[in-house]
Amino acid sequence: MMNATTNDDAIKTITTHYIDGAFVESHGRGVMDIVRPTDAQVIARVTLADEEDTRRAIAAAKLAFATYGHSIKEERAAILRRLHEAASAQIDDLTAAMVEEYGGVVQFAEPILQTGIGAFLAAEKALQEMEWTRSWDKTTVTLEPVGVAGLITAWNATALFICLKLASAVAAGCTVVIKPSELSSLQTRVLVEALHKANLPKGLLNVVTGLGNVVGAELVRHPDVDKISFTGSVAVGQSIMRDGAATMKRITLELGGKSPTILLDDAELGQAIPAALTMAFMNSGQACAAGTRLLVPKNRLEAVKQAIRGAMQAFLVGDPADPKTAVGPMVSQKQYERVQSYIRKGIEDGAELLVGGEGRPAGFEAGYFVKPTVFVNVKNDMTIAREEIFGPVLSVITYESEDEAIEIANDSKYGLHAAVIGTDAQRSRRVASQLRAGRVVINGMTDDPQAPWGGFKYSGIGREYGRYGINAFLETRAILEG
Ligand code: NAD
């Protein structure tokens, strides 16, 4: 057990929230320490919002919606461009904050922040291309903003989630109250200070940092919030659906995953294995889309094991600020312990440990570092193959036929992401088209800012990005003339 330590001289304090276009002192008095994951030092103290702060933010968003809800396409496009410009100017500070507060490796933090900031322009493009009005005979159908949106985010890429949800909401004509993960208070502050410079209409953007069961619950409960867009765990997603029903909330849920990577038998291992490991260990394994089940042909298992052992040399654990580091610390002591318990469970259940294992890597005793771990001879019904670990732990599972590979891939309560690796493009596409997941990538992780993101099954409800993301913040209205 490691306790966080404090050096009072060095710590930052945040006591305000962003409400109605200004940073205002918190009504809530609770205080939380922010702990740096690389060495467990307290680096900041944050005053947490209460229900009253949340209600003030909702009131500001409601008032702003009375005007912004009638904005035209050009106004929204101009705001999206200003948001993009304002956030772009702070990319270096944002990266530094994500590295320090979260322990995000710079290898991942920089591109993911680019994606987040790029979402403003991607939303503008989608906004311009969408058909906002359709008319026939005496009928006119228009797309209308749903109203005030509560945006609740997870800690593993908070700036991405904020930018993405905000971009879609703004494009749709909604005003927002954001509840970022309380573990991401410093990153959020850097981002909000940047967005403040975009000169937004007052009350369009409100950001209230506090606990989920206080601020998040008030957003879900409040009758003046029309929509919740949530990124986080299945358990909290389920409670939001349940509690949001009382006020008929529109709900988008981006939840967990246990994503399969199918290695076809014609895959070239020299490329396939590094690609599969990259998908497994991205964001130090703390990624909803991480490819944590690697499905390999049974007759190639020995070659796969050898290729994994070799390729692991490149997955260095270390200082997240070092561009060579692939795997940084876990975000918190709690997350460290969660990963340890799953590694232990894998061993107890009889999976074969190929690399990694329990404990901290040598030389990294101070922070929440874990060993990137690969298990082989995993059965798909073992706990480590079924539950989302949210750490750098990969399960290798063998299959005997293409049909069996598809069956194992789909045998999961999740369906967020999947990957196929092979050389025959036709065959890879055929396999991809049978996977029950919201996104399937062929031959490595690529991105398209207009492509939808979201899950089948327990991975969530609804989609984000591009026009799919904007649709989630819209109602459809038909006017029929007699
Ligand atoms: P979490 O569910 O614990 O928390 C997410 C957010 O919900 C936080 O801001 C938290 O304060 C808030 N919250 C907690 N209780 C609440 C309540 N009762 N009402 C309203 N809000 C409440 O999740 P986490 O630990 O922050 O994030 C990890 C999870 O997020 C993983 O399961 C991961 O797969 C998922 N995730 C999904 C995606 C995706 O795009 N699908 C992306 C990243 C992370």
Side-chain angles (χ1 to χ4, degrees):
M1 182 74 189
M2 178 184 304
N3 293 314
T5 52
T6 318
N7 171 6
D8 272 341
D9 296 340
I11 69 171
K12 303 169 190 139
T13 55
I14 298 176
T15 62
T16 56
H17 309 294
Y18 189 70
I19 299 176
D20 207 20
F23 290 94
V24 296
E25 282 301 315
S26 183
H27 178 269
R29 304 305 328 148
V31 173
M32 195 186 96
D33 288 342
I34 299 288
V35 178
R36 183 167 50 206
T38 47
D39 59 4
Q41 285 280 327
V42 175
I43 53 167
R45 279 211 179 101
V46 179
T47 306
L48 298 170
D50 62 7
E51 286 87 349
E52 179 57 26
D53 293 301
T54 315
R55 287 194 283 266
R56 288 175 186 172
I58 295 169
K62 187 183 178 188
L63 189 65
F65 182 68
T67 309
Y68 188 65
H70 299 291
S71 57
I72 58 170
K73 200 156 94 169
E74 287 67 29
E75 291 172 62
R76 297 179 198 173
I79 287 178
L80 287 166
R81 286 194 296 271
R82 294 210 300 276
L83 284 165
H84 177 260
E85 197 184 333
S88 297
Q90 296 303 319
I91 179 105
D92 291 344
D93 291 344
L94 275 169
T95 308
M98 185 168 174
V99 170
E100 184 177 33
E101 179 181 44
Y102 163 61
V105 293
V106 77
Q107 259 185 28
F108 178 83
E110 230 167 46
I112 208 71
L113 288 165
Q114 293 285 7
T115 302
I117 293 167
F120 293 117
L121 291 188
E124 190 212 340
K125 183 170 188 283
L127 163 80
Q128 303 286 9
E129 288 172 1
M130 280 169 69
E131 193 182 16
W132 290 83
T133 304
R134 277 190 71 205
S135 303
W136 63 91
D137 302 331
K138 290 184 173 182
T139 298
T140 304
V141 177
T142 57
L143 300 178
E144 301 295 325
V146 66
V148 172
L151 314 180
I152 303 176
T153 72
W155 42 259
N156 62 324
T158 213
L160 165 71
F161 307 138
I162 291 177
C163 292
L164 193 55
K165 291 179 194 298
L166 177 63
S168 296
V170 163
C174 292
T175 59
V176 309
V177 178
I178 299 177
K179 197 223 82 74
S181 170
E182 57 277 19
L183 297 178
S184 310
S185 302
L186 293 178
Q187 298 158 76
T188 302
R189 178 48 60 109
V190 174
L191 180 61
V192 177
E193 281 178 0
L195 299 182
H196 176 62
K197 298 201 179 105
N199 196 21
L200 302 174
K202 274 189 181 176
L204 188 158
L205 167 67
N206 304 276
V207 184
V208 191
T209 298
L211 299 179
N213 59 3
V214 178
V215 177
E218 182 63 20
L219 285 173
V220 172
R221 181 188 313 129
H222 203 291
D224 290 340
V225 176
D226 302 283
K227 159 96 194 172
I228 296 285
S229 177
F230 170 81
T231 297
S233 62
V234 171
V236 174
Q238 286 172 321
S239 81
I240 289 176
M241 263 187 99
R242 207 167 41 236
D243 299 345
T247 47
M248 207 53 84
K249 293 274 188 293
R250 278 72 182 133
I251 291 182
T252 298
L253 301 175
E254 295 291 347
L255 310 176
K258 193 72 201 177
S259 302
T261 299
I262 300 183
L263 198 113
L264 294 173
D265 60 13
D266 63 356
E268 200 280 298
L269 294 187
Q271 288 171 359
I273 293 299
L277 294 177
T278 301
M279 288 188 281
F281 298 142
M282 68 177 159
N283 202 6
S284 308
Q286 298 176 123
C288 52
T292 50
R293 291 185 297 146
L294 176 60
L295 279 41
V296 306
K298 194 167 188 185
N299 60 10
R300 298 192 75 189
L301 181 61
E302 284 314 310
V304 165
K305 282 164 72 167
Q306 213 179 339
I308 290 176
R309 277 201 206 92
M312 283 303 289
Q313 317 291 332
F315 288 84
L316 300 176
V317 178
D319 175 3
D322 183 340
K324 290 197 293 297
T325 300
V327 180
M330 301 295 93
V331 69
S332 62
Q333 173 79 25
K334 187 174 155 204
Q335 195 63 21
Y336 170 84
E337 281 164 10
R338 177 185 166 92
V339 174
Q340 295 303 315
S341 74
Y342 276 109
I343 296 174
R344 212 169 305 128
K345 182 79 179 134
I347 296 167
E348 281 165 15
D349 286 351
E352 178 190 333
L353 194 59
L354 184 69
V355 280
E358 285 183 80
R360 291 182 165 77
F364 294 96
E365 285 76 18
Y368 307 132
F369 291 92
V370 302
K371 296 178 192 163
T373 296
V374 181
F375 283 107
V376 293
N377 288 321
V378 176
K379 301 280 168 277
N380 199 45
D381 59 3
M382 288 181 183
T383 302
I384 53 167
R386 299 210 83 72
E387 295 183 13
E388 182 183 49
I389 298 174
F390 229 51
V393 183
L394 173 65
S395 292
V396 179
I397 302 168
T398 55
Y399 67 82
E400 297 204 32
S401 66
E402 193 178 293
D403 284 347
E404 196 194 2
I406 294 165
E407 194 183 306
I408 296 171
N410 288 335
D411 178 15
S412 170
K413 73 179 206 178
Y414 295 108
L416 182 63
H417 203 270
V420 180
I421 305 181
T423 48
D424 177 344
Q426 284 283 83
R427 189 170 163 216
S428 297
R429 283 186 210 123
R430 185 176 70 223
V431 171
S433 70
Q434 293 176 78
L435 298 178
R436 307 270 302 155
R439 187 177 283 198
V440 185
V441 295
I442 296 177
N443 290 339
M445 201 90 170
T446 49
D447 197 21
D448 172 353
Q450 301 298 333
W453 178 276
F456 283 36
K457 303 186 267 183
Y458 279 70
S459 291
I461 294 180
R463 296 292 180 267
E464 298 198 87
Y465 284 91
R467 68 176 60 198
Y468 303 92
I470 299 174
N471 269 329
F473 290 90
L474 293 171
E475 294 280 13
T476 307
R477 183 176 62 208
I479 296 181
L480 286 72
E481 293 175 35

